[in-house]
């Protein structure tokens, strides 16, 4: 696959910001989805981590594609290598990557031109069940079971 669009066919990214001082975790949200650049298809169902699919596993390529698509500063994002989740769809598997902003505050202005906002997990109710499951995994990784290690 050569282009950024090709990379994003079999991959999505969840963008978050975590303030370790206040323990505030917020998720980037575009309309009804938590995933960039597009929501999952309606047929999406969660798979166990590391299921060995044909989805692109190169998180750096996904990060570069999302950065280019949204015009973000790549220095302000880090790939969470310990987040390994994927979903099955009618068109094939999709791997979901976690990108964490390292800025002091969540970069609201960077997402606004793309219709994005930041929301805490408590404000995500009513979203797609698979995306909410992924958000809960992120919460557990960063705040819950992981104790802020991501």
């Amino acid at each position: 696959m050569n282009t950024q669009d090709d990379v994003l066919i079999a991959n999505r990214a969840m963008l978050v910001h975590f303030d370790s001082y206040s323990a505030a975790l917020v998720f980037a949200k575009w309309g009804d989805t938590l995933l960039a650049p597009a929501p999952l298809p309606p047929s999406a169902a969660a798979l166990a981590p590391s299921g060995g699919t044909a989805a692109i596993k190169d998180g750096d390529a996904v990060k570069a594609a999302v950065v280019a698509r949204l015009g973000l500063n790549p220095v302000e994002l880090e790939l969470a290598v310990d987040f390994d989740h994927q979903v099955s769809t009618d068109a094939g598997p999709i791997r979901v990557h976690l990108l964490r902003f390292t800025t002091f505050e969540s970069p609201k202005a960077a997402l606004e031109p793309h219709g994005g906002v930041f929301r805490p997990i408590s404000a995500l109710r009513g979203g797609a069940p698979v995306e909410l499951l992924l958000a809960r995994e992120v919460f557990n990784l960063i705040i819950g079971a992981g104790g802020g290690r991501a």
Side-chain angles (χ1 to χ4, degrees):
M1 293 191 178
N2 299 337
T3 69
Q4 294 162 350
D5 287 340
D6 290 338
V7 169
L8 296 173
I9 290 171
N11 293 274
R12 299 291 189 280
M14 186 173 283
L15 283 68
V16 299
H17 181 271
F18 178 65
D19 178 357
S20 59
Y21 181 75
S22 67
L25 174 65
V26 289
F27 295 80
K29 186 172 192 235
W30 296 268
D32 292 333
T33 188
L34 299 173
L35 301 175
L40 295 169
S43 64
L47 293 174
S50 299
T53 68
I56 294 174
K57 295 181 182 179
D58 186 0
D60 291 328
V62 174
K63 175 185 169 183
V66 170
V67 163
R69 172 82 55 103
L70 299 177
L72 302 174
N73 181 347
V75 175
E76 297 177 344
L77 277 175
E78 65 182 23
L79 175 68
V81 295
D82 49 355
F83 183 84
D84 182 23
H85 290 276
Q86 55 191 340
V87 298
S88 66
T89 71
D90 291 342
I94 296 176
R95 185 168 298 279
V96 179
H97 303 266
L98 177 60
L99 300 175
R100 181 174 163 189
F101 284 99
T102 59
T103 53
F104 179 68
E105 294 181 338
S106 58
K108 299 172 187 173
L111 296 187
E112 285 176 356
H114 307 284
V117 295
F118 284 95
R119 297 286 182 252
I121 197 167
S122 60
L124 302 179
R125 291 184 183 108
V130 172
E131 289 187 18
L132 294 176
L133 175 67
L134 293 168
R136 187 62 171 163
E137 291 293 328
V138 170
F139 182 90
N140 287 340
L141 177 68
I142 295 176
I143 293 179
R149 62 181 169 85

